[in-house]
Amino acid sequence: MKYRYLLYIMIIGLLFSCKPELDEYAYDSGSADFSTYVSLGNSLTAGYMNGSLYRTSQLNSFPSILAGQFAKMGGGAFEQPLMEGEYGIIAGKLKLGYSTDCLGATSLGPVPDDGALDPIASIGKMVNNMGVPGAKSGHLLFPGYAQFNPYFARFASDPNATVVGDAMAMNPTFFTLWIGNNDVLGYGTSGGVGDTITSQTWFAGYVQTIVETLTSAGAKGAIANIPDITNVPFFTTVPPNGLVLNQEQAAALNAALGSLGFQFAEGPNYFIIQDASSQIGFRQMVEGELLLLTVPQDALKCEYMGAVNPNTGAPNPIPQQYVLTLDQIDQIENAITGYNATISAIATNFNLAFVDFNAILKEVEEGIIADGETLTTEFVTGNAFSLDGIHLTAKGYAYVANEFIKAINMKYGSNVPMVSITNYEALELP
Amino acid sequence: MRKIITLTLLFALGIQVLIAGGYQVRLQGQKQTGIGLIGTPFNYGASSIFYNPGSLSFMKDDYSFSGGVSGIFSNVIFRAQNSDYEATTDNPTGTPFYFYGAGKVIDDMAVGIGVYTPFGSSTKWADDWAGRNLIQEISLQTIFIQPTVSYKLSDKIGLGAGLTIATGSVDLRRRIVPPVDGQFQMEGNTTAIGFNAGLYLNPIEKLKIGVDYRSKMTMKIDDGSTSFTEIPTALSDNFPASGNFSAELPLPANLDAGIAYAFNEKLTLAVEMNLVFWSAYDSLIIDFKENNEQLVDSRNPREYDNSLILRLGGEYKISDKLVARAGIYYDPTPTNEDYFTPETVSLNTFAFTLGLSVMPVEGLSIDLSYLQLEGLEDDRMYTPDNFGGTYHARTFIPGIGVSYSF
């Protein structure tokens, strides 16, 4: 039967068509309604990239990519609080460039990318992408958050508005919610000293309220969980055993600190860090502990940070804001496990599409290949993470968008097409 | 380790078009093309040099010449897996040609020479298409020269063999994946030697049987040139503007066997099978002459399987001046399930042929053929690059030739 059909096609082909064809793609929104889509979340939803939120990064935010696909099956316009320029409202954007370190060695790495900033002012309209860089779960419900967060101030309907309230004012038919990273990330990026971890009880209450509100008028949506943040390049790039010694230096360090139980050998050694819980106030790092990307590299290289100054004999431990200890990592991971249990339960209770970014980041760690391109969690060469080591590249966000699409299609029986990640940029090498 | 894998993938180059050619269709004679590309159980004059040297000595006249050309109009459409992303090739028109000359030295022995292009293809995708990291454009040309001797052992048995001298060139362009994100091109040419031997049987007048074997050839490119452009300055030392590579490509052996039966003076039907020893194509290794930590040699799995092509054709003499032909065949893909690349979209292919010979004067034949191939729509994947989707190919090949015997 199949061949008769084929023969039939061939005869028609001979008569009418010179080009091969495929059946039209079957666009289908399933049981979802994409006509008014709003996205809520933090910097990852806003499209933060390379240490900044700027026009190109916003245009490559995962909600923007998603909305582009939704538009093919009934999705309406998707407003973003777009910047005018490429440098955002706060300085700090990074680019890949050459810099010369204290030893006079020039190397390629993140360098400041300075340019004219956008003004911190309201853009005077409501937007669909309500990703607010810096937002924790509770912030989305906090009246007056715009007075503390200039990113929200740009599109808040009122200085006392809440993010969720403004979202509801859009009358959404569909939403994505990816919140909770900052409830633990601030603790992590400050080495466990500059912020606190949101309690499980509060987190569960916040997310419950947010989702209750968002679904109160019948909107459907997708919710994503929290990846293990200690596996992103911000925490994994600087090696904790980067103290490379020759025989002579190791002997000198052993002479200075051997009596305190420290041991150094020729080759790589674990750095010395501050630790208030140690009797002498410092100790050597141990396997599994992490150094932050922000640790001053020149101090490590030229000021004996993490080692002992041979001229004075004084130890120069790395300050604790650049270090995550095993205990701190445990706290972070326990918090994430708890948050994710909450998110997963809420996804089930509210019958939402669920995106398991915790599992997805683990896959990316192993290396994911798509269209010949490889995404890993490696800094710079991994293609997924931008130069701040926490936020994604456009390619990374396209991958995120595809994961949302997979989950949405599975939940709602829709057939939203995925995007080709080759069509999105990774980092640009000079 | 991961870095090594990544960088190896950067160079997952392939040139299988050289040997697979969605077009290992044998356009080496318009008469044979018209009858389903069946050639072994026939003597159509000098073109037997390619199809079956064993039947060459059965040519009726003392001298036979034949030449022709075809136009390959081919296109592929692709839709990415789980996506509405579509791309279509913009392939240039291929023009394979052939020329044969043969003469009888003595009554039972003929010698001849053939020049033909059995492998040749062009695939051109848009430079910015989603598969650009696998292939943007590949073009291949080969020319085979085959001096041939054929001997008629009796009125019922003919043997023949030829030495095959092949020259080939390949030109390939593709993108180097991020973070390098540059442009790569390589080109090379080579020669190889093989043979073509055939046996022809005519046990009873109405029945003709042919068997032909064409040997495997290894196209070994020793001094191909590479070029990297649009490379970030930071990596320009690793990806030099010019360099050299070597690579080896097996052209697989073919075993063909066919039977033709003349039901009456007008109608002849024929069947043929071609066993193509594609398993010779296990992997493609690109050896860059100058390696560095970024630029490593690449081993690309292909793992082809042998394939069996089945053909059915018929010929009908409308008059002394007019012969019509038609045929069909099925050519299953030799590609491995895990290693299907868009360089050569070699799908399971169903084809039909039409042919017409006009003989205005004694000895002269003007031969027309038409071949249409339908690469059956299928979901295919190149797993090392995780690139795949739905492919559908269609090819039209009109051809014209002239033969003259005296």
Side-chain angles (χ1 to χ4, degrees):
Chain A
M1 276 314 288
K2 200 177 175 188
Y3 291 139
R4 184 186 296 177
Y5 178 60
L6 291 167
L7 197 64
Y8 181 58
I9 287 179
M10 281 172 43
I11 291 163
I12 291 178
L14 173 64
L15 295 175
F16 298 111
S17 167
C18 282
K19 300 243 171 185
E21 286 169 1
L22 297 172
D23 292 339
E24 300 249 324
Y25 184 89
Y27 296 104
D28 185 0
S29 57
S31 60
D33 173 358
F34 300 124
S35 55
T36 306
Y37 162 45
V38 295
S39 54
L40 290 91
N42 51 40
S43 47
L44 290 166
T45 295
Y48 208 84
M49 195 184 289
N50 295 320
S52 180
L53 184 70
Y54 52 100
R55 190 176 185 86
T56 299
S57 79
Q58 293 174 297
L59 291 171
N60 289 289
S61 68
F62 86 80
S64 173
I65 296 168
L66 269 186
Q69 300 302 86
F70 290 165
K72 297 167 180 173
M73 57 209 88
F78 189 79
E79 287 282 352
Q80 295 202 89
L82 285 179
M83 305 284 173
E84 291 298 319
E86 292 294 319
Y87 301 94
I89 56 173
I90 299 167
K93 191 185 171 194
L94 299 166
K95 64 179 178 186
L96 268 181
Y98 291 95
S99 57
T100 303
D101 67 10
C102 55
L103 299 168
T106 299
S107 64
L108 187 61
V111 298
D113 186 15
D114 296 325
L117 300 180
D118 268 46
I120 303 178
S122 171
I123 57 171
K125 62 179 176 188
M126 305 279 277
V127 295
N128 296 73
N129 187 348
M130 301 198 176
V132 180
K136 298 184 182 187
S137 54
H139 291 152
L140 302 189
L141 298 163
F142 172 33
Y145 185 47
Q147 296 163 43
F148 299 89
N149 188 317
Y151 289 106
F152 182 38
R154 295 183 71 246
F155 61 84
S157 62
D158 181 275
N160 293 315
T162 66
V163 175
V164 171
D166 276 4
M168 290 310 289
M170 300 286 286
N171 298 313
T173 59
F174 196 85
F175 67 89
T176 57
L177 175 67
W178 192 10
I179 196 74
N181 295 59
N182 288 327
D183 291 81
V184 65
L185 186 69
Y187 177 83
T189 56
S190 61
V193 296
D195 200 356
T196 54
I197 297 176
T198 308
S199 83
Q200 293 298 328
T201 315
W202 284 105
F203 181 81
Y206 291 142
V207 179
Q208 173 81 17
T209 306
I210 293 166
V211 174
E212 261 174 21
T213 311
L214 290 173
T215 54
S216 59
K220 292 173 175 171
I223 189 168
N225 73 2
I226 313 303
D228 184 347
I229 56 159
T230 62
N231 289 328
V232 303
F234 185 82
F235 296 104
T236 58
T237 300
V238 184
N241 62 343
L243 179 59
V244 181
L245 303 173
N246 60 31
Q247 202 173 6
E248 194 181 332
Q249 291 167 324
L253 279 173
N254 281 327
L257 298 173
S259 59
L260 296 167
F262 289 71
Q263 281 190 339
F264 297 92
E266 189 179 354
N269 290 267
Y270 283 98
F271 284 113
I272 296 170
I273 56 168
Q274 277 184 359
D275 186 351
S277 66
S278 157
Q279 279 192 338
I280 51 172
F282 63 92
R283 63 174 173 85
Q284 251 184 301
M285 294 185 84
V286 297
E287 190 177 351
E289 295 187 319
L290 301 172
L291 280 177
L292 278 47
L293 195 57
T294 43
V295 65
Q297 297 282 331
D298 276 355
L300 294 180
K301 288 174 189 163
C302 299
E303 295 161 24
Y304 307 103
M305 184 185 272
V308 173
N309 185 333
N311 306 318
T312 63
N316 183 8
I318 298 173
Q320 56 184 332
Q321 72 259 33
Y322 300 121
V323 179
L324 283 185
T325 64
L326 288 179
D327 178 54
Q328 291 167 332
I329 292 168
D330 267 357
Q331 290 200 44
I332 290 170
E333 289 179 345
N334 289 339
I336 291 171
T337 305
Y339 294 167
N340 285 347
T342 296
I343 291 168
S344 163
I346 285 175
T348 306
N349 295 343
F350 287 87
N351 207 16
L352 300 175
F354 171 64
V355 192
D356 187 356
F357 279 114
N358 195 270
I360 291 160
L361 184 68
K362 288 189 169 74
E363 287 172 22
V364 175
E365 268 180 79
E366 298 297 316
I368 275 172
I369 296 170
D371 299 347
E373 300 179 357
T374 306
L375 299 183
T376 71
T377 51
E378 261 179 86
F379 194 46
V380 180
T381 56
N383 291 325
F385 283 88
S386 71
L387 292 171
D388 55 42
I390 294 171
H391 300 97
L392 305 179
T393 58
K395 207 176 277 298
Y397 284 126
Y399 193 80
V400 165
N402 279 344
E403 293 295 331
F404 269 99
I405 288 170
K406 272 193 223 169
I408 290 166
N409 285 344
M410 195 187 299
K411 187 73 198 179
Y412 297 110
S414 52
N415 195 27
V416 182
M418 305 220 290
V419 297
S420 181
I421 72 155
T422 34
N423 293 335
Y424 295 85
E425 302 282 324
L427 293 175
E428 192 181 334
L429 269 62
Chain B
M1 193 59 205
R2 184 185 292 156
K3 179 163 278 177
I4 291 169
I5 292 166
T6 310
L7 292 167
T8 305
L9 288 167
L10 296 182
F11 297 98
L13 304 169
I15 324 181
Q16 99 226 37
V17 67
L18 179 64
I19 58 180
Y23 311 110
Q24 207 214 4
V25 291
R26 290 174 286 179
L27 303 164
Q28 274 73 58
Q30 303 301 2
K31 293 190 180 79
Q32 290 91 339
T33 301
I35 193 167
L37 287 87
I38 296 172
T40 50
F42 293 118
N43 175 279
Y44 282 133
S47 56
S48 293
I49 287 172
F50 173 80
Y51 287 97
N52 184 353
S55 73
L56 185 67
S57 51
F58 280 71
M59 63 191 221
K60 290 187 199 81
D61 299 299
D62 287 342
Y63 297 95
S64 173
F65 297 90
S66 179
V69 63
S70 300
I72 299 177
F73 302 91
S74 161
N75 273 300
V76 178
I77 186 167
F78 166 80
R79 180 188 293 145
Q81 197 178 34
N82 300 321
S83 175
D84 59 347
Y85 174 83
E86 287 182 6
T88 308
T89 54
D90 182 21
N91 295 337
T93 304
T95 53
F97 65 88
Y98 61 85
F99 175 80
Y100 307 98
K104 280 189 179 163
V105 187
I106 54 172
D107 227 20
D108 291 334
M109 185 168 147
V111 298
I113 189 160
V115 180
Y116 53 88
T117 58
F119 302 97
S121 181
S122 294
T123 300
K124 186 180 193 305
W125 298 92
D127 272 3
D128 62 350
W129 86 295
R132 62 185 176 274
N133 299 317
L134 289 86
I135 189 73
Q136 290 165 315
E137 185 174 8
I138 182 164
S139 98
L140 157 80
Q141 293 184 319
T142 61
I143 299 177
F144 282 40
I145 300 169
Q146 184 192 318
T148 302
V149 179
S150 180
Y151 188 71
K152 200 197 295 190
L153 292 176
S154 74
D155 283 348
K156 297 184 175 180
I157 304 176
L159 282 173
L163 183 72
T164 311
I165 301 144
T167 68
S169 69
V170 66
D171 189 341
L172 175 151
R173 293 193 307 114
R174 51 159 290 175
R175 205 69 197 163
I176 302 299
V177 296
V180 181
D181 202 17
Q183 181 66 43
F184 175 68
Q185 178 163 15
M186 61 184 257
E187 53 184 291
N189 50 61
T190 185
T191 60
I193 289 182
F195 70 89
N196 181 357
L199 169 68
Y200 180 70
L201 303 171
N202 192 2
I204 56 171
E205 198 190 331
K206 290 181 169 182
L207 180 68
K208 294 165 182 175
I209 299 168
V211 179
D212 183 64
Y213 182 78
R214 286 189 301 286
S215 69
K216 175 185 163 183
M217 286 195 252
T218 300
M219 304 296 275
K220 193 170 188 309
I221 297 175
D222 268 332
D223 54 351
S225 65
T226 59
S227 94
F228 292 96
T229 50
E230 300 168 38
I231 298 293
T233 318
L235 292 169
S236 56
D237 289 347
N238 297 101
F239 298 95
S242 68
N244 292 96
F245 77 95
S246 62
E248 272 189 22
L249 300 150
L251 300 188
N254 280 250
L255 178 63
D256 302 345
I259 299 174
Y261 187 79
F263 287 86
N264 52 47
E265 284 198 353
K266 288 183 180 295
L267 179 68
T268 298
L269 291 182
V271 293
E272 187 176 274
M273 63 117 235
N274 310 140
L275 181 57
V276 189
F277 295 88
W278 279 120
S279 61
Y281 195 23
D282 181 62
S283 63
L284 176 64
I285 297 161
I286 307 286
D287 179 356
F288 290 97
K289 286 273 164 64
E290 306 273 334
N291 293 118
N292 58 58
E293 58 176 12
Q294 300 281 322
L295 184 57
V296 297
D297 297 339
S298 82
R299 185 180 184 286
N300 309 284
R302 293 291 180 257
E303 299 187 17
Y304 272 33
D305 291 320
N306 294 343
S307 73
L308 184 67
I309 307 170
L310 296 173
R311 306 177 186 279
L312 174 66
E315 179 180 277
Y316 189 80
K317 272 196 188 106
I318 298 167
S319 73
D320 284 349
K321 294 187 186 304
L322 207 58
V323 177
R325 301 183 184 89
I328 55 171
Y329 66 87
Y330 181 69
D331 185 356
T333 179
T335 54
N336 184 290
E337 193 176 356
D338 291 329
Y339 307 121
F340 189 94
T341 95
E343 291 153 6
T344 303
V345 178
S346 184
L347 296 160
N348 289 326
T349 297
F350 194 70
F352 73 88
T353 69
L354 297 170
L356 192 69
S357 286
V358 182
M359 292 149 288
V361 295
E362 175 79 27
L364 177 67
S365 170
I366 296 162
D367 308 313
L368 304 171
S369 73
Y370 176 78
L371 168 59
Q372 181 170 339
L373 299 96
E374 189 76 7
L376 304 182
E377 182 176 323
D378 209 351
D379 293 337
R380 294 278 166 175
M381 199 75 199
Y382 187 69
T383 51
D385 284 350
N386 193 20
F387 182 86
T390 308
Y391 292 91
H392 181 196
R394 184 171 293 163
T395 305
F396 304 87
I397 309 175
I400 186 166
V402 179
S403 33
Y404 187 62
S405 303
F406 56 94

